[in-house]
Amino acid sequence: MKLTIGHLYPDLLNLYGDRGNIQCMMKRLQWRGIEAETIEFEIQDEVDFSELDIVLLGGGSDREQMLVCERLKEIRDDFKAYVEDGGVVLAVCGGYQLLGTHYSTDQGVIEGLSIVDIYTEQGKDYRLIDNIVLESELSDMPVVGFENHGGRTYIKDQKPFGKVIYGSGNDGQSGYEGIIYKNVIGTYLHGPLLPKNPQICDHLLSKALERKYKKSIELAPLDDTEEREANTYIYQRFKGKVSR
Ligand code: GLN
């Protein structure tokens, strides 16, 4: 078996090492004897979604998002078709915001892909920056990470990625973080999301393998004891505290 991961626009959407998530996916596949390849796409490159099993869209500054949004308009129909067909996507922070209809900032409105029915507004005063701890139905251990965003994202009554135990999440008010839509995860958890939360990684890998090979896949277990202990400790340490 083999999976191909497409990294969209690492030249622009490259904040806080979101690309480490790709290394984690590759490694967890290789440890199980499954082949893995990554294709990096720069802004001018053609993207053939039919050759991709997983797509990563990382975080970026408002300026970079503005640049990327022009290109996204051109690939939007193919991207949407990929998602509707069960294509796996991990979209982080700026990339997450770009999945929605729009992101309004003081500098203007950044048009999104409209792949999911969510939207983002720039916060009036402060950025939401802190550690974050979630409970997510995709992981039986707590999900831990770090968030740093000015935008507040509104997902209406759609399924969130997780319930906020500590931190701000989508908009600092709703108590929820991110979104799950089909095989898409959109989240504000920057940096080592998948290395720190291996079950989220395996969820994405299984979905991609099941879609490609059209059968249910039981991934061989890996030893995640350290992550379980660390995340459980962090959960207990932060539960009940207030972020701001
Ligand atoms: N520019 C967006 C915001 O500040 C996303 C930033 C990011 O990807 N960290 O909300």
Side-chain angles (χ1 to χ4, degrees), residues 2-240:
K2 176 180 174 183
L3 289 183
T4 304
I5 302 165
H7 190 180
L8 287 195
Y9 316 133
D11 49 339
L12 289 168
L13 298 178
N14 55 7
L15 284 184
Y16 313 124
D18 290 333
R19 72 186 323 137
N21 291 309
I22 290 186
Q23 271 136 9
C24 179
M25 291 191 272
M26 302 267 290
K27 213 63 217 171
R28 290 181 76 85
L29 286 167
Q30 288 158 358
W31 280 333
R32 292 158 162 136
I34 302 170
E35 263 188 82
E37 181 196 7
T38 299
I39 306 175
E40 293 195 349
F41 296 94
E42 295 200 349
I43 196 86
Q44 71 284 349
D45 296 341
E46 288 298 318
V47 183
D48 178 359
F49 283 91
S50 70
E51 64 178 8
L52 302 180
D53 305 303
I54 300 176
V55 169
L56 177 88
L57 207 50
S61 65
D62 291 1
R63 192 189 70 82
E64 288 160 333
Q65 285 173 277
M66 192 77 89
L67 294 172
V68 167
C69 110
E70 289 307 313
R71 178 67 177 134
L72 289 181
K73 277 184 213 165
E74 293 162 11
I75 64 164
R76 187 227 169 236
D77 290 350
D78 289 349
F79 201 157
K80 173 84 176 157
Y82 166 82
V83 165
E84 291 302 315
D85 184 51
V88 172
V89 178
L90 175 63
V92 181
C93 203
Y96 166 39
Q97 295 169 345
L98 286 168
L99 293 180
T101 54
H102 62 276
Y103 170 28
S104 344
T105 73
D106 294 343
Q107 271 68 50
V109 177
I110 300 172
E111 214 179 304
L113 284 155
S114 296
I115 282 177
V116 285
D117 187 16
I118 60 175
Y119 68 96
T120 302
E121 285 173 353
Q122 193 172 41
K124 291 282 164 276
D125 27 29
Y126 50 87
R127 293 180 69 80
L128 303 173
I129 308 173
D130 205 340
N131 293 302
I132 180 162
V133 183
L134 310 175
E135 280 169 3
S136 171
E137 65 176 44
L138 304 182
S139 176
D140 74 8
M141 55 176 106
V143 171
V144 302
F146 183 76
E147 62 182 326
N148 180 354
H149 49 110
R152 275 61 166 165
T153 297
Y154 299 96
I155 68 165
K156 305 163 199 176
D157 54 0
Q158 298 175 87
K159 189 190 273 195
F161 171 50
K163 180 170 173 298
V164 177
I165 300 302
Y166 177 86
S168 295
N170 280 333
D171 57 15
Q173 301 288 330
S174 67
Y176 291 104
E177 202 290 316
I179 193 157
I180 300 172
Y181 174 75
K182 296 196 170 219
N183 290 331
V184 175
I185 296 178
T187 178
Y188 274 117
L189 273 63
H190 256 307
L193 167 68
L194 301 184
K196 284 190 175 295
N197 301 287
Q199 289 186 5
I200 304 300
C201 184
D202 286 356
H203 167 80
L204 297 172
L205 300 179
S206 328
K207 290 292 177 193
L209 287 165
E210 282 170 8
R211 171 171 178 261
K212 181 162 184 187
Y213 293 101
K214 300 189 177 12
K215 58 176 184 184
S216 74
I217 305 268
E218 196 70 45
L219 286 173
L222 297 172
D223 182 3
D224 297 322
T225 313
E226 275 184 27
E227 288 77 11
R228 181 176 295 279
E229 283 175 7
N231 294 8
T232 304
Y233 172 79
I234 292 166
Y235 180 92
Q236 283 158 358
R237 173 91 172 58
F238 281 99
K239 193 172 165 50

